[in-house]
């Protein structure tokens, strides 16, 4: 592709970014033909410019209907934050629906394959929402010895806040393992998204300042609503 054609698609994308910023979420974007006539260029170039905007998460396309302004992505930088903190930083109102909360007495009773229990632990499954949109399904294990009366707490609140304020256990550091997955029927029903949608599975082990394990959790997050940014230094 000629350098001028490459520059043109980027210039068009920049012009459209400005216009999109003034539109509401889910507003329609003019079609390829209308944009090609307006800017005096080919539909191929318009399509390439729209693809750049879609890659940046600014628009989304519905087959047969056109392109629309996308809701803002949640950008997750690699610093340790609770879901509640992440939502507030992005100007979204966090809410939580508790699906289940129970005490698991031993490893044989555990129903998840990402944990091995050496002592009784609480299993808390929750749906996390931003502005009432389901964004993350979370399953968390916390040893009973860490938070003996956890089931008496309001589990719609931040677990990290509960652990710190009620039990003096602050999650100081964590190991995370990120895996791209495809949403199955079970997760799709809970998260209210189509089965087969892309998602990110985040497996986390959280530790206190002494390096003692505080929590093990797994989060299933909508793949088109999250970005992950890393700073790598040598």
């Amino acid at each position: 592709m000629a350098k001028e054609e490459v520059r043109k698609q980027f210039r068009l994308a920049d012009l459209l970014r400005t216009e999109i910023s003034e539109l509401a979420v889910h507003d329609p974007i003019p079609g390829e033909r209308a944009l090609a006539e307006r800017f005096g260029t080919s539909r191929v170039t318009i399509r390439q410019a729209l693809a750049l905007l879609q890659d940046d998460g600014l628009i989304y396309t519905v087959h047969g209907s056109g392109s629309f302004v996308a809701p803002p992505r949640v950008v997750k930088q690699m610093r340790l934050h609770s879901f509640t903190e992440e939502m507030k930083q992005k100007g979204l109102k966090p809410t939580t629906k508790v699906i289940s909360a129970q005490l698991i007495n031993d490893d044989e009773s555990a129903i998840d394959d990402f944990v091995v229990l050496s002592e009784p632990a609480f299993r808390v499954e929750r749906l996390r929402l931003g502005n009432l949109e389901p964004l993350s399904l979370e399953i968390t294990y916390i040893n009973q010895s860490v938070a003996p009366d956890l089931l008496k707490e309001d589990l719609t609140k931040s677990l990290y806040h509960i652990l710190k304020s009620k039990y003096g256990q602050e999650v100081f550091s964590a190991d995370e393992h990120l895996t791209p997955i495809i949403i199955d029927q079970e997760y799709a029903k809970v998260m209210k998204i189509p089965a087969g949608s892309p998602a990110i599975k985040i497996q986390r082990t959280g530790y206190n300042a002494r390096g003692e394990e505080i929590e093990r959790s797994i989060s299933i997050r909508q793949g088109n609503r999250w970005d992950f940014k890393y700073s790598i230094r040598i």
Side-chain angles (χ1 to χ4, degrees):
M1 184 184 298
K3 287 185 179 179
E4 182 56 33
E5 287 299 313
V6 174
R7 293 193 190 101
K8 185 180 292 185
Q9 69 189 46
F10 280 97
R11 285 200 299 267
L12 284 172
D14 286 339
L15 291 172
L16 291 172
R17 276 191 188 90
T18 301
E19 295 186 8
I20 288 171
S21 67
E22 299 174 355
L23 298 177
V25 172
H26 304 307
D27 275 356
I29 305 299
E32 291 178 6
R33 178 178 298 176
L35 289 173
E37 292 176 355
R38 176 180 163 193
F39 290 106
T41 189
S42 68
R43 293 181 64 176
V44 171
T45 301
I46 293 296
R47 194 173 300 124
Q48 292 164 342
L50 293 175
L52 291 172
L53 298 177
Q54 187 161 337
D55 288 344
D56 288 343
L58 297 177
I59 65 173
Y60 66 93
T61 300
V62 177
H63 183 69
S65 298
S67 297
F68 303 85
V69 179
R73 283 180 172 174
V74 179
V75 178
K76 177 177 173 60
Q77 296 189 0
M78 291 296 103
R79 285 189 293 237
L80 185 58
H81 295 297
S82 69
F83 178 90
T84 301
E85 291 171 331
E86 291 176 18
M87 293 298 99
K88 289 180 177 179
Q89 287 177 358
K90 299 305 172 185
L92 302 177
K93 182 180 179 181
T95 52
T96 299
K97 177 183 177 182
V98 178
I99 298 173
S100 66
Q102 59 186 306
L103 177 65
I104 307 295
N105 287 305
D106 52 48
D107 191 57
E108 291 185 1
S109 303
I111 58 177
D112 303 289
D113 59 8
F114 68 93
V115 293
V116 176
L117 299 182
S118 58
E119 60 179 282
F122 296 110
R123 180 189 187 273
V124 181
E125 183 172 355
R126 306 185 300 169
L127 183 65
R128 315 303 300 277
L129 305 94
N131 286 356
L132 300 181
E133 179 186 358
L135 295 179
S136 180
L137 176 64
E138 298 181 359
I139 300 171
T140 303
Y141 279 80
I142 297 173
N143 287 344
Q144 186 180 27
S145 60
V146 171
D149 296 318
L150 184 65
L151 295 186
K152 297 180 181 179
E153 307 293 344
D154 181 358
L155 299 179
T156 65
K157 306 299 184 183
S158 167
L159 288 181
Y160 280 12
H161 177 72
I162 292 172
L163 289 172
K164 182 179 179 180
S165 63
K166 298 288 186 177
Y167 301 101
Q169 296 281 4
E170 183 175 6
V171 179
F172 184 79
S173 63
D175 294 328
E176 287 190 345
H177 180 199
L178 281 66
T179 307
I181 65 170
I182 298 297
I183 291 290
D184 61 19
Q185 291 285 354
E186 180 183 358
Y187 287 142
K189 183 177 181 180
V190 176
M191 300 182 72
K192 295 179 170 48
I193 58 177
S197 299
I200 301 167
K201 180 174 72 174
I202 306 174
Q203 187 168 326
R204 172 185 284 192
T205 304
Y207 306 91
N208 62 19
R210 296 185 296 275
E212 299 166 338
E213 181 180 312
I214 298 299
E215 59 135 3
R216 280 186 178 268
S217 66
I218 193 167
S219 303
I220 308 297
R221 300 191 173 187
Q222 284 198 48
N224 65 339
R225 293 302 313 277
W226 296 84
D227 278 341
F228 295 83
K229 291 188 176 181
Y230 296 82
S231 295
I232 300 175
R233 296 178 176 85
I234 297 177

